[in-house]
Amino acid sequence: MSEPFSGASASSSRTSSRMVADSEDISRALRRLAHQVVENVKDVSHLVIMGIPTRGVPIAERLAKNIGDIEKISIPVGSLDVTLFRDDLQMRPTKALEQTRLPAEGIDGKTVILVDDVLFSGRTIRAALDAINEYGRPAVVQLAVLVDRGHRELPIRADYVGKNLPTSLSEKVSVQISEIDSVDQVVIQSTIEQL
Amino acid sequence: MSLNSYLIVGARPYGEDEQDIRIINGCIAEIGVGLDPENLEVVQAKGRVCLPSFVDLHAHLREPGREDAETISSGSRAATLGGFSAVFAMANTAPVADTAGVVEQVWRIGRQTGLVDVFPVGAVSIGLHGQALAELGAMAASAAGVTVFSDDGYCVFDPLLMRRALEYVKTFDGVIAQHAQDPRLTQGAQMNEGELSGILGLTGWPAVAEEAIIARDVLLALHVDSRLHICHVSTAGSVAIIRWAKEMGVRVTAEVTPHHLLLTEDLVSGFDPVYKVNPPLRSRADTIALREALLDGTIDIVATDHAPHPHEAKDCEWDNAAFGMLGLETALGVVVSAMRDVPNWNWRTLSDRMSSAPARIGRATNHGRPLAVGESAHIVLIDPDQGSLVVAEQLASLSGNTPYAGMTLPVSVTDVFFNGVHQVKGGVLNA
Amino acid sequence: MKHLISVQELSREDTVGILDTAIELNRVTDGGTKILPTLRGRTVVNLFYEDSTRTRISFERAAKRLSADVVTFSANGSSVSKGESLKDTALTLNAMGADMIVLRHPSPGAAHRLAHAGWLESSVLNAGDGKHEHPTQALGDAFTLRAHLRPGANDFAGLTIGIVGDVLHSRVARSNIFLLGILGAKVIVIGPPTLLPVGIENWPCEVSYSLDAHLPELDAIMMLRVQQERMNGTFFPSELEYSRTFGLNRKRAKELPEHAIVMHPGPMNRGVEITAEVADSGRSVITEQVVNGLIVRMASMYLLIGGDASVA
Ligand SMILES: [Zn+2]
Ligand SMILES: [Zn+2]
């Protein structure tokens, strides 16, 4: 999950941003991911796409639409807030809960594709797997992310990656999605300490 | 060079023009401008306000029985640091001061300490139980010479007992000091009854519980023509009743505490028991009525109701905390704080309310006398421009339950002479 | 938010935030039946100086549903030793590393003292302090009202809610009156003057001595419990006279609008403030209130100790 950009920085440091993907790059990536899913999953009639809030949800909706367009069916989409399942809650400020909405069909026996904007430490996905486990028994669970920035802390990998983006730990990757941020782009922010 | 002899230079008696005051052998020998020090020790007092030392008609010194909270000795130190030369020690000790033996003991320890004159108050009823009269005559005739009787802490609720007490003390010119609190109307009461008590869920202490007893007692005092004193008046309604009674010729006097002049009930909303006191802190309108009454003399005196409690009695939840707050060391500063914006309030009036009037009510003939040649040198010097920060841990009292901790009071007591002994210098007590 | 002591410290935004959190928790736990790992490794101490099995069990279940370690100290058992002060108990619990103390205490302000007297660092959740407040009860009631009368809304504008009975001694009534005020509802407090606090006319509510006069305008009616010890003739003449004047019976329930709901914080005195018939009728939401109390307690616990409050 991407960290929100945290406003003005102290005078001793300076923040610089650089855009690494624009709206067209993102659309292209999501179309490619849709084709990969169709190729990989074969029977999309049991497919459920679950977005992880906040930005995983609109990405999941777009991905589902792309798959639906290819297969000419409607793919069920849900949202899965993993906050209550995180093992690192005590290291962050208390966060308001986001919506968890399972599709009407449920997830038992389905092929569930989890969708998030950025894959980083892997802890969000670990929590998501716990959450999924609480809500049902899918046949298969896969993972799609728009950006994989590396630095995994757990043995977790994505089945579908929009863009691999090698980063340093001091950088922040910010995925912006027009439904939420009124623009589609991926930005890397780096903070330069000034002496 | 004679004992307890000084020349105070440049002090302002009653806050008026600068004078020098010569003290010889503990008495005021001369007052004038440009006095020759001769061989006397000079006390520089330029700009200091000079008053007769204060008299507290109502303090709890806790000895005997609760020497962990205060002793006569520690209370005397607190009193002299506050500028007092005489303190009336309330009777609700353990054992209760309801016999000649107990009052003489208190009086004697006060004498031994020797920093202020300690006048024991005698209980009205045996054990403060409100049922049978204590040995009022024996206490009056004892070495302590008790003149003030009170069941303070409890109200003399039985009207017949109150009548008898008022009548009985006439034989030796005594006075009954009533703690006016109807016990039925204040069952479980925790704070002033009003909007805030309702919101906080604390059982209310209605003003009428005080006023109804005062109304009854002024009528009784009128009926038997006796001296009645009302302790710690706290409501505007009480002021109105006392004002009416005085107009009717009732021989009633009344006191107000420094805290009821300054503090209001909204302090309770943090549930800190340091603000828990009997009677409770009241509304803003009440404090204003009390200030006016103190100015116009409806309320005769300020009395501290100094009520020390050990730390654990206040470091707890509100319901379980003890009632009462410290008062002796902060009294002057708090009174000045409360009264300084009241028009026509001046040092002479303050001196009457804190010194001469309480001495008169308590028949403490050697206290509360004017600054005049021939009088005992009970003198306090006040720096009217030097504020004093209240630090609970630095008070002389054994207890720390002051609601003023952290406040800077507007004036400070710098020097105190007790019978001419210069025992407080620069705000510090000579060991 | 570190402590939850009084609803009067909450803004409308805070309140809606708690209710929204409760909605999500309700959904993901199927009405509080599933267990979440959220507070694993955290210790919640239930410190109960008053016997209240219902409330204690609700808080215990709330903490357990969130996987917290739950320790209960009850004054009725032997675990709160006789004579030990609240402060000394607090120092012990602090040394144990309790993350949250859920306090039920007979003294108004006890939770405030526990949180602010410098005795401990834990979060404090007020589970009822004398006649003062019982914030999670009011939040649970707001949750129930919102679900029935204003689903998804961020305020209760336009709702009229009657609170009937012993407001003087009721922490539930206090918390409800102020919380409903924060949410913008119109509150009408109804009861005999002996059971209404002095100064209530300045609270955010209307005051009336007549139940019958207001029934047709109420969207919800909350009946307060009449304590047994008030029935001894000093607050009102008799149980019978009370129920005749202020009790909710079938005849009165008929005067309520069609959509109005009937609430009671429990435990009920059936036949005194409410008849069994009304309590068990279709418009009664009394059993829902119990479940919703559990849900808002989970939400409050999550919001108080779910994250690191010092980072916020
Ligand atoms: Zn008293
Ligand atoms: Zn007293």
Side-chain angles (χ1 to χ4, degrees):
Chain A
M1 256 170 39
S2 60
E3 304 280 316
F5 175 48
S6 59
S9 51
S11 59
S12 63
S13 63
R14 189 164 53 86
T15 306
S16 74
S17 314
R18 91 194 123 92
M19 189 174 69
V20 290
D22 64 12
S23 170
E24 183 47 38
D25 297 332
I26 290 172
S27 300
R28 203 181 309 116
L30 287 175
R31 281 197 300 277
R32 180 168 52 73
L33 289 186
H35 283 287
Q36 286 174 3
V37 170
V38 169
E39 190 164 318
N40 199 1
V41 172
K42 308 287 195 285
D43 182 8
V44 296
S45 65
H46 290 105
L47 195 59
V48 169
I49 313 285
M50 296 287 288
I52 297 174
T54 313
R55 288 168 183 75
V57 176
I59 296 172
E61 279 160 0
R62 292 191 201 178
L63 181 61
K65 182 169 185 310
N66 289 350
I67 297 168
D69 288 350
I70 298 166
E71 295 289 305
K72 310 288 180 236
I73 58 165
S74 166
I75 305 289
V77 184
S79 66
L80 183 71
D81 182 35
V82 306
T83 309
L84 295 164
F85 296 86
R86 297 194 72 94
D87 63 4
D88 55 358
L89 278 177
Q90 298 176 26
M91 286 137 77
R92 345 164 128 231
T94 309
K95 198 173 154 296
L97 300 185
E98 307 264 7
Q99 290 195 343
T100 294
R101 295 290 180 272
L102 301 189
E105 303 83 343
I107 55 172
D108 288 347
K110 306 284 184 185
T111 297
V112 171
I113 299 182
L114 292 171
V115 178
D116 202 358
D117 53 354
V118 179
L119 179 59
F120 185 16
S121 68
R123 289 183 186 275
T124 301
I125 305 306
R126 189 209 58 76
L129 292 171
D130 283 354
I132 284 282
N133 198 38
E134 192 61 45
Y135 301 132
R137 279 196 55 80
V140 178
V141 180
Q142 297 185 332
L143 173 62
V145 297
L146 188 58
V147 173
D148 183 348
R149 63 167 293 190
H151 305 291
R152 214 77 75 242
E153 294 167 5
L154 294 169
I156 282 170
R157 57 163 190 81
D159 301 275
Y160 313 99
V161 176
K163 186 175 178 62
N164 278 298
L165 201 60
T167 55
S168 112
L169 275 173
S170 66
E171 291 171 322
K172 270 185 180 176
V173 175
S174 166
V175 170
Q176 296 166 16
I177 294 295
S178 58
E179 289 89 328
I180 294 165
D181 308 292
S182 65
V183 62
D184 274 0
Q185 60 178 8
V186 179
V187 171
I188 294 184
Q189 287 146 353
S190 38
T191 302
I192 299 145
E193 297 294 331
Q194 291 193 326
L195 296 176
Chain B
M1 180 168 162
S2 40
L3 200 63
N4 299 334
S5 301
Y6 300 93
L7 185 69
I8 302 173
V9 175
R12 297 160 49 212
Y14 305 102
E16 293 157 10
D17 294 341
E18 287 184 6
Q19 306 268 347
D20 303 339
I21 300 170
R22 191 189 308 283
I23 300 173
I24 302 289
N25 293 328
C27 288
I28 299 175
E30 191 180 8
I31 300 179
V33 181
L35 299 188
D36 181 351
E38 298 166 7
N39 56 351
L40 291 180
E41 183 180 336
V42 169
V43 178
Q44 263 306 339
K46 193 155 176 55
R48 300 280 150 83
V49 173
C50 176
L51 301 177
S53 296
F54 308 129
V55 175
D56 189 4
L57 199 65
H58 186 157
H60 297 269
L61 299 186
R62 301 295 187 221
E63 186 176 355
R66 288 309 303 266
E67 290 84 354
D68 57 327
E70 197 80 289
T71 62
I72 292 168
S73 163
S74 65
S76 296
R77 286 198 295 278
T80 189
L81 283 163
F84 291 87
S85 60
V87 173
F88 286 74
M90 274 298 171
N92 63 337
T93 48
V96 171
D98 57 1
T99 61
V102 178
V103 294
E104 281 194 359
Q105 184 197 350
V106 170
W107 175 78
R108 201 173 324 106
I109 298 171
R111 292 267 291 204
Q112 282 159 7
T113 305
L115 294 171
V116 294
D117 283 336
V118 175
F119 297 108
V121 173
V124 172
S125 66
I126 296 170
L128 310 176
H129 296 314
Q131 283 166 2
L133 289 180
E135 293 174 1
L136 308 181
M139 290 189 273
S142 73
V146 176
T147 56
V148 180
F149 297 88
S150 180
D151 276 359
D152 183 56
Y154 301 93
C155 181
V156 180
F157 184 47
D158 178 350
L160 186 59
L161 186 78
M162 186 62 182
R163 174 198 171 140
R164 300 275 190 253
L166 285 166
E167 288 174 318
Y168 196 81
V169 297
K170 285 162 78 169
T171 54
F172 38 83
D173 191 27
V175 61
I176 304 293
Q178 175 67 299
H179 170 113
Q181 177 192 354
D182 185 311
R184 291 283 294 154
L185 285 172
T186 53
Q187 266 186 356
Q190 296 292 326
M191 71 170 291
N192 182 42
E193 183 167 88
E195 189 184 344
L196 187 61
S197 64
I199 289 171
L200 298 179
L202 289 168
T203 303
W205 186 309
V208 65
E210 173 174 314
E211 294 154 3
I213 296 293
I214 296 175
R216 181 199 77 177
D217 287 353
V218 294
L219 294 174
L220 281 174
L222 181 65
H223 182 57
V224 300
D225 189 28
S226 294
R227 283 212 295 145
L228 168 69
H229 178 74
I230 307 297
C231 296
H232 41 57
V233 170
S234 70
T235 76
S238 298
V239 167
I241 293 165
I242 294 164
R243 191 171 280 140
W244 172 84
K246 287 187 167 183
E247 283 165 11
M248 296 295 288
V250 179
R251 293 203 287 155
V252 60
T253 54
E255 74 191 28
V256 63
T257 68
H259 48 271
H260 286 110
L261 288 171
L262 187 67
L263 307 178
T264 50
E265 60 173 344
D266 45 289
L267 292 163
V268 177
S269 45
F271 296 101
D272 184 344
V274 78
Y275 300 111
K276 181 171 173 177
V277 67
N278 175 352
L281 299 179
R282 303 287 190 180
S283 71
R284 175 103 191 119
D286 289 310
T287 62
I288 289 168
L290 293 170
R291 291 173 196 179
E292 284 170 1
L294 185 65
L295 176 74
D296 71 20
T298 302
I299 291 177
D300 302 79
I301 66 169
V302 172
T304 66
D305 200 3
H306 179 79
H309 288 290
H311 184 68
E312 58 275 16
K314 291 287 192 180
D315 195 21
C316 59
E317 54 278 20
W318 183 278
D319 276 2
N320 293 338
F323 288 99
M325 38 183 69
L326 298 183
L328 283 167
E329 287 167 82
T330 48
L332 173 70
V334 173
V335 169
V336 171
S337 222
M339 300 300 293
R340 60 182 159 176
D341 295 330
V342 176
N344 301 320
W345 180 257
N346 56 37
W347 289 105
R348 244 180 220 284
T349 314
L350 182 142
S351 181
D352 177 74
R353 308 297 189 259
M354 292 187 72
S355 182
S356 41
R360 205 160 49 236
I361 295 167
R363 303 294 190 248
T365 47
N366 186 36
H367 295 270
R369 302 290 304 159
L371 293 173
V373 172
E375 301 290 352
S376 295
H378 296 311
I379 293 174
V380 55
L381 298 179
I382 298 158
D383 188 331
D385 305 314
Q386 179 62 54
S388 52
L389 176 68
V390 181
V391 180
E393 297 74 23
Q394 290 173 8
L395 296 174
S397 174
L398 294 184
S399 297
N401 54 306
T402 174
Y404 312 109
M407 277 175 66
T408 298
L409 299 175
V411 299
S412 46
V413 170
T414 61
D415 296 76
V416 174
F417 296 84
F418 175 68
N419 278 319
V421 179
H422 191 191
Q423 61 192 30
V424 174
K425 289 183 190 169
V428 177
L429 181 62
N430 282 3
Chain C
M1 198 161 64
K2 180 166 183 191
H3 309 294
L4 179 56
I5 308 292
S6 157
V7 301
Q8 294 171 68
E9 296 168 356
L10 298 176
S11 64
R12 184 177 292 186
E13 205 181 7
D14 295 332
T15 307
V16 171
I18 296 169
L19 298 179
D20 284 345
T21 303
I23 285 176
E24 281 308 307
L25 279 166
N26 191 35
R27 209 186 301 269
V28 303
T29 61
D30 277 347
T33 57
K34 282 186 182 160
I35 295 179
L36 298 169
T38 314
L39 298 183
R40 190 171 287 154
R42 302 226 137 183
T43 303
V44 172
V45 174
N46 287 312
L47 182 55
F48 274 59
Y49 284 84
E50 278 182 341
D51 187 25
S52 173
T53 313
R54 297 158 51 97
T55 310
R56 180 173 50 75
I57 287 175
S58 181
F59 275 103
E60 279 175 3
R61 284 182 58 203
K64 284 179 178 162
R65 291 287 180 277
L66 295 172
S67 301
D69 294 332
V70 183
V71 184
T72 295
F73 289 80
S74 170
N76 295 81
S78 53
S79 42
V80 176
S81 42
K82 298 260 182 289
E84 187 178 67
S85 70
L86 179 60
K87 179 188 175 179
D88 286 332
T89 306
L91 297 179
T92 307
L93 298 179
N94 197 44
M96 277 173 50
D99 295 289
M100 170 183 282
I101 315 286
V102 175
L103 179 69
R104 163 64 70 97
H105 198 283
S107 174
H112 188 280
R113 286 292 281 165
L114 191 63
H116 300 295
W119 300 334
L120 45 66
E121 282 145 37
S122 322
S123 284
V124 175
L125 203 168
N126 183 5
D129 58 334
K131 296 174 284 178
H132 181 219
E133 284 228 28
H134 192 359
T136 57
Q137 175 72 40
L139 287 162
D141 291 348
F143 186 94
T144 305
L145 285 163
R146 193 187 195 206
H148 282 271
L149 302 170
R150 285 286 186 275
N154 288 337
D155 65 51
F156 286 177
L159 286 186
T160 302
I161 293 153
I163 299 182
V164 184
D166 182 1
V167 175
L168 180 63
H169 300 97
S170 173
R171 51 190 164 217
V172 173
R174 273 175 186 73
S175 291
N176 263 312
I177 291 168
F178 288 103
L179 193 70
L180 290 169
I182 288 165
L183 288 168
K186 174 180 164 187
V187 177
I188 305 177
V189 167
I190 302 159
T194 48
L195 291 176
L196 301 177
V198 164
I200 193 172
E201 58 281 358
N202 296 322
W203 295 16
C205 60
E206 285 180 21
V207 179
S208 170
Y209 307 139
S210 165
L211 177 54
D212 291 318
H214 297 283
L215 291 168
E217 59 184 301
L218 301 180
D219 298 296
I221 185 165
M222 289 185 190
M223 305 307 296
L224 300 173
R225 174 181 168 77
V226 178
Q227 306 279 342
Q228 212 68 41
E229 60 267 29
R230 319 285 177 223
M231 298 183 195
N232 59 11
T234 62
F235 286 94
F236 50 84
S238 71
E239 207 176 300
L240 190 65
E241 179 158 324
Y242 182 88
S243 59
R244 209 184 301 131
T245 321
F246 297 105
L248 187 60
N249 51 29
R250 181 176 53 164
K251 188 161 163 289
R252 288 204 168 102
K254 272 192 182 155
E255 298 297 313
L256 292 165
E258 198 80 21
H259 66 272
I261 57 173
V262 171
M263 306 175 79
H264 191 298
M268 285 180 277
N269 296 303
R270 289 170 182 258
V272 184
E273 68 267 7
I274 189 166
T275 62
E277 194 182 3
V278 176
D280 301 333
S281 69
R283 61 181 15 174
S284 160
V285 296
I286 296 169
T287 50
E288 265 177 65
Q289 287 177 267
V290 177
V291 177
N292 294 340
L294 170 74
I295 300 292
V296 297
R297 282 168 193 134
M298 291 174 68
S300 306
M301 286 180 179
Y302 166 67
L303 291 170
L304 293 183
I305 60 168
D308 179 352
S310 66
V311 183

